[in-house]
């Protein structure tokens, strides 16, 4: 995760800060790519208006709503479904880096919500049919490929794309934390992705960091 990580309570006590919430939606699945390559989980991300990959969410006004209510509102706008988000879905909060000292500090809150497979598919359908931001702030939902094909296809190529802010590290951390891929597969994916990230990073996280959700 990004530097400046803090608890939810510490983040809420930040004076004069702006707050933004984002969520990783995922489900289990028995589906197989080409009928022979199991990928076990469906993880949703989105292509943003600026061409970067990220998680759905946005700014929350704490004078009018809680973090979770604000995130649910953002989901309605971006994916067309007002999904309930709870405090138990909260994973981490941290300061976002800013290049201008004149701008109030932005605190990023990251959530992970497990859903049923049919619920995930409904989100995908709603994202292109009822979401008000589709085609504007959001260009489309994408699934994270949780497998490795020849020549780096799948997760390595996906991790080579450009991500907004710390979305890439949030994804990698969540894959480990919720045991969505094996450490060996993630290590191989990081090693073969065309980025500057240390390929040893996946094996550096302690087992104590994992969490069933």
């Amino acid at each position: 995760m990004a530097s400046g990580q803090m608890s939810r309570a510490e983040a809420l006590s930040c004076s004069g800060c702006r707050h933004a919430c984002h969520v990783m939606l995922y489900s289990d699945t028995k589906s197989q790519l080409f009928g022979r390559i199991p990928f076990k989980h469906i993880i949703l991300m989105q292509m943003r208006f600026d061409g970067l990959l990220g998680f759905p969410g946005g700014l929350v006004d704490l004078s009018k709503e809680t973090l979770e209510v604000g995130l649910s509102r953002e989901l309605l706008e971006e994916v067309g479904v007002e999904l309930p988000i709870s405090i138990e879905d909260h994973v981490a909060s941290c300061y976002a880096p800013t290049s201008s000292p004149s701008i109030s500090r932005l605190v990023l809150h990251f959530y992970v919500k497990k859903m049923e497979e049919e619920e995930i598919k409904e989100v995908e359908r709603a994202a292109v049919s009822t979401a008000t931001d589709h085609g504007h702030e959001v260009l489309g939902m994408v699934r994270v490929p949780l497998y490795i094909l020849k020549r780096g296809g799948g997760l390595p190529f996906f991790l080579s794309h450009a991500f907004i802010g710390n979305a890439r590290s949030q994804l990698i951390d969540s894959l480990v934390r919720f045991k969505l891929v094996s450490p060996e597969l993630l290590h191989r994916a990081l090693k073969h992705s065309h980025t500057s990230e240390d390929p040893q990073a996946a094996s550096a996280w302690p087992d104590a960091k994992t969490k069933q959700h």
Side-chain angles (χ1 to χ4, degrees):
M1 291 290 182
S3 60
Q5 187 168 315
M6 67 193 91
S7 70
R8 181 180 181 279
E10 290 172 333
L12 289 174
S13 68
C14 176
S15 177
C17 289
R18 297 179 299 148
H19 296 263
C21 297
H22 297 84
V23 62
M24 185 183 91
L25 305 174
Y26 82 98
S27 73
D28 298 332
T29 183
K30 294 182 180 179
S31 299
Q32 296 183 334
L33 178 66
F34 307 132
R36 59 183 175 81
I37 302 175
F39 46 91
K40 298 182 180 180
H41 309 283
I42 298 171
I43 298 177
L44 296 186
M45 296 190 73
Q46 61 183 201
M47 177 64 71
R48 292 161 39 94
F49 63 93
D50 51 14
L52 300 175
L53 290 169
F55 292 103
L59 290 172
V60 172
D61 185 351
L62 290 182
S63 68
K64 299 178 181 178
E65 56 194 0
T66 65
L67 293 174
E68 292 74 31
V69 169
L71 178 52
S72 183
R73 172 186 52 75
E74 285 288 333
L75 288 173
L76 178 60
E77 297 172 3
E78 295 190 358
V79 303
V81 180
E82 193 174 8
L83 299 171
I85 304 295
S86 70
I87 294 177
E88 287 71 28
D89 298 321
H90 179 266
V91 172
S93 297
C94 66
Y95 287 117
T98 177
S99 59
S100 174
S102 62
I103 301 177
S104 59
R105 300 201 74 174
L106 177 63
V107 180
L108 302 175
H109 304 272
F110 185 61
Y111 294 74
V112 174
K113 182 177 179 63
K114 185 174 183 180
M115 307 171 66
E116 295 298 324
E117 182 173 2
E118 185 52 42
E119 292 176 316
I120 283 283
K121 291 180 178 179
E122 176 57 32
V123 167
E124 292 177 309
R125 289 190 289 266
V128 298
S129 60
T130 62
T132 57
D133 285 347
H134 178 69
H136 301 279
E137 293 183 25
V138 180
L139 301 184
M141 303 300 295
V142 297
R143 294 188 181 190
V144 180
L146 300 180
Y147 44 79
I148 299 178
L149 305 175
K150 292 181 179 179
R151 299 175 181 158
L155 188 57
F157 280 1
F158 187 85
L159 293 176
S160 300
H161 290 301
F163 293 75
I164 183 68
N166 59 347
R168 185 177 185 272
S169 62
Q170 288 172 333
L171 171 62
I172 293 171
D173 181 81
S174 296
L175 293 177
V176 174
R177 182 186 296 264
F178 297 96
K179 299 181 179 180
L180 301 181
V181 297
S182 68
E184 295 77 16
L185 187 146
L186 183 55
H187 175 82
R188 288 171 55 204
L190 289 170
K191 181 178 180 180
H192 293 98
S193 63
H194 302 293
T195 67
S196 60
E197 176 132 358
D198 182 0
Q200 302 298 325
S203 60
W205 286 297
D207 291 339
K209 194 173 181 181
T210 60
K211 169 186 173 184
Q212 293 296 328
H213 198 69

